[in-house]
Amino acid sequence: MYNIAIVAGGNSGEYEISMKSGKQVELNMDMARFRPFLIEIRGKKWNYKLETKTFPVDKNDFSLTIGKRKIRFDAVFNAIHGTPGEDGKLQGYFDMLDIPYTSCGVTTSALSFNKTFCKDVVSCYGADIAGHVHLNRDDKRAVSLIKKNLKMPVFVKPNNGGSSVGMSKVKHKKDLKAALDKAFHEDDEILVEEFIKGRELTCGVIRSKGKIIAFPVTEIISKKEFFDYEAKYQPGLSEEVVPAKVPGKVAETCRKISMNLFRNLNCKGIVRFDFIFSGKKFFFLEVNTVPGITSASIVPKMAKAYGWSYTDLITNLLDEII
Ligand SMILES: Nc1ncnc2c1ncn2[C@@H]1O[C@H](COP(=O)(O)OP(=O)(O)O)[C@@H](O)[C@H]1O
Ligand SMILES: [Mg+2]
């Protein structure tokens, strides 16, 4: 029997979703093999709750003391979307303590969490990316740089964000300033990129039993202007078609590109590559290294279409690291 810490929560706008992901993992873990402990990480508070009692984590060795029992963990299931679970911070901490975890390592997590750095690196590996500009808070040339280098419409995004928080699609130059202010409210760095007209396709890739497996490609059809926060989490505002209704060759190419990127970026666990398919090209949007795994999330649907139950998915992720 292995003790598994499921870490959830985190310090971003994705806190609630992460708590849902964590609870779902706890509910569906194979209890014959694993003993789950859902640990909420929120700022400096790292707590395990059992009925009405709260037990703080000892950060010196990532252990719990319950009564006279000291509980150490054989592995960590990482369900924190956003910082500090998706950007390499917790990965560094667990590496120092020699505790294995289900997601990508420090460098891959940190790189992929920085949307601009990640785009620039994947473009070196041959992926297509949209024209973009990277801005810092004190950059006085922001609006003129965008006007000079990019075609409208553009997406203005916090560079280190997720769940479309603080993001806008801007059609008119006069609206740029407000969109920049909104994004700078969330982050000190911003990515502005050209809008690519096309279909949104996403591909989940997992390393399991020595193999890299790509799940069936999924199309995201948003009823909103784009796949924004509401469309992501309000039922009925988006449709996820698994497998995507695209020609077999298109799906195959998308899976190949995703598996290559998974290899090149040295990913671990389950990650989701997002693209806009336009013309014959797959424009890389981002890679989610801790994708949502609530009951309504895309990854469990992809796994199901591949033939894995939710429990299979959790078990396979844990078997990879134990
Ligand atoms: N360059 C783009 N062209 C077209 N749609 C985009 C572009 N960038 C983002 N989007 C839309 O916005 C959504 C969120 O963007 P994304 O970069 O994935 O941010 P987040 O990390 O917040 O999910 C995408 O799922 C897509 O619908
Ligand atoms: Mg996204």
Side-chain angles (χ1 to χ4, degrees):
M1 198 69 143
Y2 295 107
N3 286 340
I4 309 293
I6 304 163
V7 292
N11 309 325
S12 77
E14 295 186 276
Y15 167 85
E16 307 278 343
I17 305 304
S18 167
M19 287 307 293
K20 281 192 190 166
S21 287
K23 289 220 169 79
Q24 193 67 12
V25 173
E26 183 189 30
L27 282 174
N28 289 283
M29 200 170 271
D30 179 357
M31 306 286 180
R33 295 187 52 210
F34 308 112
R35 203 180 291 118
F37 294 80
L38 179 59
I39 289 172
E40 179 181 340
I41 292 188
R42 182 81 160 151
K44 287 186 179 155
K45 291 191 179 131
W46 299 21
N47 289 322
Y48 170 66
K49 288 189 181 133
L50 185 61
E51 285 144 18
T52 56
K53 290 207 180 107
T54 299
F55 301 90
V57 169
D58 181 348
K59 293 182 193 133
N60 291 308
D61 58 359
F62 196 67
S63 69
L64 284 173
T65 302
I66 299 180
K68 288 201 172 115
R69 219 155 50 102
K70 174 129 172 140
I71 296 165
R72 293 177 186 278
F73 297 103
D74 298 293
V76 171
F77 192 103
N78 183 7
I80 297 184
H81 321 306
T83 191
E86 200 167 358
D87 56 358
K89 292 185 179 139
L90 276 182
Q91 285 78 354
Y93 168 75
F94 290 127
D95 284 349
M96 298 291 282
L97 294 177
D98 213 7
I99 302 175
Y101 47 88
T102 50
S103 60
C104 302
V106 176
T107 311
T108 305
S109 303
L111 173 81
S112 58
F113 200 67
N114 184 311
K115 285 190 160 78
T116 311
F117 289 173
C118 190
K119 258 176 227 278
D120 293 342
V121 169
V122 300
S123 103
C124 295
Y125 292 127
D128 289 300
I129 53 168
H132 62 278
V133 165
H134 183 205
L135 300 168
N136 289 312
R137 189 180 287 284
D138 52 8
D139 214 325
K140 300 277 179 292
R141 308 156 304 154
V143 173
S144 63
L145 264 181
I146 297 167
K147 286 184 181 165
K148 189 171 154 230
N149 293 294
L150 304 180
K151 277 200 290 287
M152 305 297 284
V154 293
F155 273 89
V156 177
K157 320 178 178 181
N159 194 44
N160 304 283
S163 283
S164 306
V165 177
M167 205 172 128
S168 320
K169 181 176 174 184
V170 181
K171 292 178 186 164
H172 308 289
K173 288 177 182 159
K174 68 172 173 45
D175 299 325
L176 277 172
K177 175 84 175 55
L180 290 170
D181 288 346
K182 183 173 165 189
F184 274 130
H185 191 69
E186 302 293 327
D187 196 353
D188 291 333
E189 290 171 60
I190 285 187
L191 166 65
V192 185
E193 69 176 42
E194 287 177 351
F195 166 69
I196 309 283
K197 196 171 164 42
R199 293 169 75 176
E200 186 160 356
L201 298 179
T202 179
C203 185
V205 185
I206 185 169
R207 192 188 290 270
S208 178
K209 300 189 176 84
K211 273 200 314 202
I212 293 175
I213 299 167
F215 287 152
V217 172
T218 300
E219 179 168 14
I220 296 170
I221 305 170
S222 175
K223 300 214 167 87
K224 300 283 297 288
E225 177 84 26
F226 64 96
F227 198 37
D228 64 8
Y229 189 86
E230 268 187 333
K232 277 176 176 151
Y233 302 120
Q234 217 161 291
L237 288 186
S238 79
E239 198 187 335
E240 284 117 28
V241 187
V242 203
K245 291 192 181 103
V246 291
K249 255 196 174 162
V250 170
E252 206 35 55
T253 307
C254 186
R255 293 172 73 232
K256 259 198 197 138
I257 293 172
S258 303
M259 285 193 287
N260 278 335
L261 288 177
F262 187 100
R263 235 175 255 121
N264 286 325
L265 295 172
N266 191 21
C267 293
K268 305 228 163 63
I270 171 77
V271 308
R272 228 189 63 216
F273 292 94
D274 295 349
F275 304 94
I276 301 287
F277 178 55
S278 175
K280 285 190 177 148
K281 289 185 174 171
F282 292 86
F283 288 86
F284 171 90
L285 276 189
E286 64 159 347
V287 51
N288 299 287
T289 61
V290 185
I293 38 172
T294 70
S295 56
S297 300
I298 299 173
V299 161
K301 290 181 196 162
M302 290 172 157
K304 195 167 170 219
Y306 182 74
W308 288 2
S309 68
Y310 191 100
T311 300
D312 293 338
L313 176 66
I314 305 304
T315 301
N316 289 334
L317 283 166
L318 288 171
D319 275 345
E320 231 6 61
I321 57 166
I322 283 177

